[in-house]
Amino acid sequence: MFSRIMVGVIRRMARKRLGKDIAPLDTLATHPGVLISYAKFGQALEKTSLVPAKLKVLAQVRAAKLVECPF
């Protein structure tokens, strides 16, 4: 039950941040344990101040380009 609630919260937060539902979230939602862990990792990555924000964005874009991410 806790997992279902957390999946709903994560979906709502992603929809609020991105403006729409995204396909990878639907895929991860079928495995709540993975989705919750992935969301926690993402939040921790955003909150860290060890690396400047501009450098984080640059690294994300570069990683997406390397794996040919359509987003």
Side-chain angles (χ1 to χ4, degrees):
M1 178 154 164
F2 176 73
S3 296
R4 284 186 176 179
I5 294 170
M6 286 301 296
V7 168
V9 169
I10 292 169
R11 282 179 180 246
R12 212 171 306 119
M13 289 174 65
R15 195 176 308 121
K16 183 178 178 182
R17 183 172 180 219
L18 302 171
K20 62 179 181 175
D21 289 329
I22 58 172
L25 186 61
D26 291 336
T27 304
L28 286 171
T30 60
H31 301 284
V34 175
L35 176 62
I36 293 168
S37 300
Y38 187 76
K40 286 181 181 180
F41 175 73
Q43 283 182 332
L45 192 60
E46 285 183 18
K47 289 183 180 181
T48 185
S49 60
L50 297 174
V51 178
K54 289 182 180 182
L55 188 58
K56 286 183 203 176
V57 172
L58 181 62
Q60 289 174 346
V61 170
R62 179 67 177 144
K65 184 178 177 184
L66 284 172
V67 298
E68 298 177 4
C69 178
F71 299 102

